[in-house]
Amino acid sequence: MAVTFLNRLSPDAQSRWLEALRAALPGETIGVEPSPQTEIAIVANPGRGVLASLPNLAFIQSAWAGVDSLLDDPDLPRVPIARLIDPGLSAQMAQATAAHVLYLHRQVPAYAAQQRRGLWRQLPQPSAAERRIGFLGYGELAGAAANLLESIGFQTYGWSRRLGDLDTLLATSDIIVNLLPLTDHTRGILSAPAFARMKRGAAIVNLARGAHVVEEDLIAALDAGQLSHAVLDVFEAEPLERKHPFWSHPQITVTPHVAAITDPVSASAVIAANIARFRAGQQVEGLVNRKAGY
Ligand SMILES: NC(=O)C1=CN([C@@H]2O[C@H](COP(=O)(O)OP(=O)(O)OC[C@H]3O[C@@H](n4cnc5c(N)ncnc54)[C@H](OP(=O)(O)O)[C@@H]3O)[C@@H](O)[C@H]2O)C=CC1
Ligand SMILES: O=C(O)C(=O)CO
């Protein structure tokens, strides 16, 4: 019985993944074509319906942390699914979050606007300890990001299904970082009612999924001054279309879904350990709760 890496990556990216997976799983036969021999599927955008065509499929391991598009497949077989929990990915997300929070905290967008006008003006600078960073979602990635921000001196506040209070987070945070999974409960959470509950002049950093944000509501909140800035790494439709208003909005910073990019080498080590757990009949790490949607 085989392991199959089902993906729609470029040939180069697929080769890098196969090399890393084969090095991490020397005892397994790993191919890329769906086959009746496939018992374990490692998936990176497998394409709808492909998993349903595998009669002996017993376990799906996602190469991504977010499984929203995988769970969207109406024919997804009812086998255990694990999402990726990779310390390398968490470290990258912590760095990206710190970069964006420091960019906002140190008022780089305001100084960039001043530079465009040739304006030399020093703005009052609050200390990190005076800034509260609120995390929507407080899982693997947000936890790592919050630890790094606390080490710099920021106050942090997390909201998850198990802890924190959304109203408190919205009303008291200066910068709100979204690291929720995209589910039926979280889709559109960053919309007009949430923006209205935020502190006037708060900023948002969306590093999770584009569909968490209601795009027109965001533009309206920025234009009205309710929000000061939005850093957006993810979009409802990716790549972001050339004519999209986000590209040219002066209070929006766009990055092309790069906050944390799965590294095939570190991910393969994690995936190999999970496959060993599955083969030993043990609970896999990152088991997806389909009902909760993540
Ligand atoms: N931009 C990028 O490059 C990348 C983006 N991502 C995105 O980051 C997301 C988060 O990843 P990760 O940290 O690993 O995920 P986790 O599953 O570890 O964390 C998710 C967190 O969200 C909370 N949550 C889920 N549903 C709700 C809800 N309805 N209400 C309140 N809280 C909720 C969970 O609560 P609880 O703790 O109570 O379960 C948990 O704290 C991914 O789903 C993906 O979309 C991931 C990688 C790269
Ligand atoms: O792992 C994920 O969910 C990603 O978004 C990778 O970029």
Side-chain angles (χ1 to χ4, degrees), residues 33-192:
E33 294 302 329
S35 110
Q37 301 304 313
T38 303
E39 184 187 15
I40 297 174
I42 301 168
V43 297
N45 308 341
R48 286 192 169 204
V50 176
L51 291 157
S53 71
L54 307 172
N56 289 305
L57 185 68
F59 173 46
I60 300 169
Q61 168 69 58
S62 171
W64 311 145
V67 289
D68 44 292
S69 67
L70 184 63
L71 296 184
D72 246 8
D73 181 347
D75 300 318
L76 192 62
R78 297 215 68 85
V79 300
I81 300 171
R83 64 191 190 80
L84 185 70
I85 301 180
D86 175 357
L89 195 72
S90 302
Q92 281 196 61
M93 187 57 89
Q95 290 166 18
T97 308
H100 297 312
V101 166
L102 285 168
Y103 165 81
L104 295 165
H105 165 60
R106 296 298 312 194
Q107 309 179 86
V108 180
Y111 287 121
Q114 289 190 187
Q115 182 178 347
R116 286 192 289 275
R117 294 165 55 207
L119 181 63
W120 180 279
R121 181 192 291 155
Q122 296 171 338
L123 303 172
Q125 178 59 57
S127 70
E130 291 171 277
R131 301 267 206 208
R132 185 186 257 213
I133 318 302
F135 284 91
L136 296 172
Y138 206 67
E140 294 293 330
L141 301 179
N147 286 343
L148 182 54
L149 290 178
E150 281 169 16
S151 75
I152 298 169
F154 290 103
Q155 299 172 46
T156 66
Y157 186 88
W159 173 68
S160 70
R161 288 205 302 167
R162 284 171 293 192
L163 62 89
D165 170 62
L166 181 58
D167 276 326
T168 306
L169 182 146
L170 295 175
T172 63
S173 300
D174 301 290
I175 300 171
I176 293 178
V177 179
N178 178 34
L179 278 168
L180 283 164
L182 182 64
T183 69
D184 292 344
H185 298 285
T186 65
R187 183 177 300 274
I189 188 167
L190 288 166
S191 59

Side-chain angles (χ1 to χ4, degrees), residues 180-220:
L180 283 164
L182 182 64
T183 69
D184 292 344
H185 298 285
T186 65
R187 183 177 300 274
I189 188 167
L190 288 166
S191 59
F195 298 142
R197 280 145 76 198
M198 291 177 188
K199 271 175 135 171
R200 187 159 179 85
I204 66 162
V205 179
N206 186 21
L207 305 178
R209 288 292 183 260
H212 285 125
V213 174
V214 177
E215 296 188 344
E216 318 76 69
D217 292 5
L218 174 60
I219 289 178

